[in-house]
Amino acid sequence: SPSLRRIDLSFSEGLMRTPDFTGMPNLEYLNKYWCYNLEEVHHSLGCCSKLIQLDLSNCASLERFPCVNVESLEYLSLEYCSSLEKFPKIHGRMKPEIQIRMQGSGIRELPSSITQYQTHITELYLRCMNNLVALPSSICRLKSLVVLDVSECSKLESLPEEIGNLDNLEELHAIDTLISRPPSSILRLNKLKILKFGGFKNRVHFEFPPVAEGLRSLEYLDLSYCNLIDGGLPEDIGSLSSLKKLNLRGNYFEHLPRSIAQLGALRILDLRYCKGLTQLPELPPELKTIHADYWRKDSICNSLFQNISSASDSLSLRVFTSVDPYYDSIRRIPSWFLHQGMDRSVSLNLPENWYMPDKFLGFAVCYSGRLVDTTTQLIPVCDDGMSWMTRKLALSNHSACDTSKWHTVNCVHFLLVALAVLWDTSNKANGKTPNDYGLIRLSFSGEVKMYGLRLLYKEEAEVEALSQMRENNNEPTEHS
């Protein structure tokens, strides 16, 4: 009918071909989404110059779509038309405001009309286009583009060399592609805030180019499952001055670049499933949360606290929070902490001559749950009038575990109580030394579920003799 303006045949499972549109010159809306068995769109659709909306999303069997008239078209969806390998031929001049959605389609090559007529578009979603091998260099003329998503384009091997020309790009998503190294021009994207690669499984070994003080606005870098080995991360990664979150989950490096310590804005570091990691470098000063599952490695725990002790002012208190939503709650206190319990107070008898000048670094503490504060006390060996050393440590402002997002059962917190925090320097004038104190007591306030405690030394060999406390019936005494 010449007066027909709208056709909706959505969810028509028996539809294999569209009708002839020759007698429908005023057609404006054509919806055929989820016509799973639709194989062909009639070529006469190219004559419908008043068509405003065409939705063919999820027509998984569609193979033949010869042409479309875009004179009036404002919306075209070919999403998840997985059998459609060729974009339809364009009739007419494309309107600047048109929305074209192709993610999940089988299209092998982007139409030049997108870059020719759509220079104003701000978002381009090409996710899950499994036949897409390359992006045309002309895509880099889309000067208004803010978001580019090519994630799960499983055959995409590279990004255009000119991608650095996308001056306004703020988000680039390229997870689960075959891109092994982004072009160096990516460093010129100084408005880019989010950059995601990875998800390569075992197909690609990724290398990130030297930062060279580029990417000045980058806040989130996701390189998870990139098969990164030592050298895959640039040594100057510390130049990413705005970086707040770094996701390195599931990689194979043994060491991290030392310049990570220079990431002054970094708040979250994700190192889960990095099975080859043997130690942690010095960590950034504002880092609060480490997503990790490797605390069962003694070398990791030791390197964390060694770095805390070397990087921190002895009088300052620094708390790290580790989050792993899948970590077995029964084992969440690492075994490196020799003294463990499940109470609100712990008293630990200190071995004789436990304090070694220039070697003793402090008391390494680990706890789970939400802790408000802890009171730490050093108690003399003999009751001869010596005063107890008592210090209340407020921890509520240090805990980075957001309980609105993570259950506290999956948060483990680490802190180092340096001797200088407890020690009264007037004792030195009285001829007293830390070895005149034989017991340390920690009293917890809050929702502590488990705790761990260890004496920390510069050289772990020094601890071996002291760690015999367990065997010598010197276990901590717990108080409710």
Side-chain angles (χ1 to χ4, degrees):
S1 170
S3 61
L4 189 64
R5 297 180 182 275
R6 184 184 297 267
I7 297 178
D8 191 340
L9 296 174
S10 304
F11 299 99
S12 298
E13 294 184 7
L15 186 67
M16 298 181 67
R17 294 174 180 81
T18 67
D20 186 332
F21 298 100
T22 304
M24 307 177 193
N26 294 306
L27 186 65
E28 295 179 352
Y29 298 92
L30 178 59
N31 295 324
K32 293 180 180 290
Y33 53 86
W34 282 103
C35 293
Y36 193 79
N37 293 306
L38 181 67
E39 297 177 356
E40 181 179 0
V41 174
H42 198 274
H43 64 84
S44 59
L45 188 64
C47 300
C48 296
S49 60
K50 295 185 179 180
L51 192 63
I52 296 173
Q53 176 177 302
L54 175 57
D55 191 343
L56 296 170
S57 56
N58 292 286
C59 293
S61 300
L62 181 62
E63 296 180 354
R64 296 177 296 281
F65 182 11
C67 56
V68 62
N69 194 301
V70 297
E71 286 287 347
S72 303
L73 200 62
E74 297 178 1
Y75 179 86
L76 170 61
S77 178
L78 301 174
E79 291 180 292
Y80 301 100
C81 294
S82 53
S83 299
L84 185 66
E85 297 186 358
K86 188 175 181 180
F87 196 86
K89 185 177 180 180
I90 297 295
H91 288 181
R93 183 181 178 87
M94 188 176 285
K95 298 177 69 172
E97 63 270 20
I98 188 174
Q99 295 183 48
I100 299 178
R101 299 189 176 182
M102 293 179 285
Q103 65 182 43
S105 71
I107 293 171
R108 294 181 176 274
E109 185 177 347
L110 295 185
S112 60
S113 52
I114 288 183
T115 54
Q116 183 178 358
Y117 297 115
Q118 288 200 277
T119 55
H120 74 291
I121 63 171
T122 59
E123 299 177 354
L124 184 57
Y125 295 98
L126 306 175
R127 178 183 288 264
C128 299
M129 294 180 65
N130 291 324
N131 289 328
L132 191 66
V133 176
L135 296 175
S137 59
S138 59
I139 204 171
C140 300
R141 295 201 293 263
L142 301 177
K143 295 294 188 178
S144 299
L145 201 63
V146 174
V147 179
L148 174 60
D149 189 346
V150 293
S151 292
E152 299 180 72
C153 293
S154 57
K155 295 181 181 178
L156 185 64
E157 297 182 349
S158 64
L159 294 171
E161 288 295 328
E162 303 88 348
I163 197 166
N165 295 338
L166 295 174
D167 299 332
N168 290 299
L169 196 66
E170 295 183 7
E171 297 184 22
L172 174 54
H173 304 262
I175 294 174
D176 198 11
T177 67
L178 292 178
I179 300 169
S180 60
R181 184 181 174 93
S184 57
S185 70
I186 200 172
L187 302 173
R188 301 205 311 266
L189 297 174
N190 283 320
K191 289 187 178 180
L192 196 68
K193 295 180 180 179
I194 298 174
L195 179 57
K196 295 184 178 183
F197 291 101
F200 296 141
K201 301 179 176 64
N202 294 317
R203 298 181 298 168
V204 174
H205 284 281
F206 188 85
E207 287 188 25
F208 199 86
V211 175
E213 299 186 1
L215 298 171
R216 291 193 295 267
S217 299
L218 192 65
E219 297 180 359
Y220 179 25
L221 176 59
D222 185 350
L223 299 178
S224 58
Y225 299 100
C226 278
N227 296 323
L228 288 169
I229 57 176
D230 287 349
L233 287 172
E235 289 298 324
D236 63 348
I237 193 171
S239 299
L240 297 174
S241 57
S242 299
L243 196 65
K244 295 179 180 178
K245 182 176 181 180
L246 177 58
N247 187 352
L248 299 174
R249 185 191 316 184
N251 284 298
Y252 297 104
F253 42 69
E254 295 182 8
H255 304 89
L256 293 170
R258 292 181 179 273
S259 69
I260 277 184
Q262 300 168 19
L263 294 172
L266 195 68
R267 299 296 187 273
I268 298 175
L269 176 61
D270 193 337
L271 294 171
R272 279 175 284 183
Y273 314 119
C274 294
K275 297 180 180 179
L277 192 63
T278 57
Q279 61 183 12
L280 295 175
E282 181 181 339
L283 296 171
E286 297 301 320
L287 181 67
K288 302 297 183 185
T289 301
I290 303 175
H291 295 254
D293 62 343
Y294 47 54
W295 300 113
R296 59 180 61 91
K297 289 185 179 180
D298 289 355
S299 61
I300 294 289
C301 291
N302 182 55
S303 63
L304 172 66
F305 279 95
Q306 295 287 339
N307 286 318
I308 292 176
S309 67
S310 63
S312 302
D313 184 317
S314 61
L315 294 176
S316 66
L317 183 66
R318 189 174 183 189
V319 180
F320 284 96
T321 297
S322 177
V323 179
D324 182 9
Y326 307 110
Y327 195 35
D328 181 357
S329 60
I330 297 175
R331 301 174 58 196
R332 66 182 176 274
I333 299 298
S335 60
W336 182 79
F337 294 90
L338 299 176
H339 313 287
Q340 300 190 16
M342 300 179 66
D343 216 327
R344 299 176 69 89
S345 176
V346 57
S347 296
L348 174 64
N349 291 320
L350 299 170
E352 186 177 358
N353 297 320
W354 60 271
Y355 175 69
M356 301 177 184
D358 300 323
K359 291 185 178 180
F360 181 73
L361 300 177
F363 301 96
V365 180
C366 176
Y367 65 90
S368 66
R370 189 174 182 86
L371 188 59
V372 176
D373 57 52
T374 181
T375 300
T376 306
Q377 297 172 310
L378 273 179
I379 301 174
V381 175
C382 302
D383 187 11
D384 58 356
M386 288 175 59
S387 61
W388 292 16
M389 301 293 173
T390 301
R391 181 71 180 267
K392 186 173 183 178
L393 307 174
L395 302 178
S396 57
N397 293 331
H398 296 272
S399 175
C401 185
D402 181 0
T403 53
S404 65
K405 184 176 181 182
W406 306 103
H407 295 298
T408 55
V409 72
N410 297 318
C411 290
V412 179
H413 311 275
F414 303 96
L415 70 137
L416 178 65
V417 181
L419 182 64
V421 172
L422 300 171
W423 187 247
D424 185 345
T425 54
S426 65
N427 272 338
K428 189 173 183 180
N430 298 329
K432 302 297 182 181
T433 73
N435 284 324
D436 291 313
Y437 291 78
L439 186 141
I440 183 171
R441 176 178 295 160
L442 284 82
S443 302
F444 304 109
S445 169
E447 300 176 2
V448 177
K449 295 177 173 61
M450 297 182 71
Y451 67 83
L453 179 65
R454 181 180 179 123
L455 278 66
L456 184 69
Y457 295 83
K458 280 186 180 178
E459 299 175 14
E460 278 298 293
E462 306 289 351
V463 180
E464 292 183 5
L466 297 173
S467 66
Q468 299 300 317
M469 286 187 290
R470 280 181 167 175
E471 299 178 10
N472 296 333
N473 297 318
N474 230 349
E475 289 291 323
T477 304
E478 298 167 15
H479 305 276
S480 57

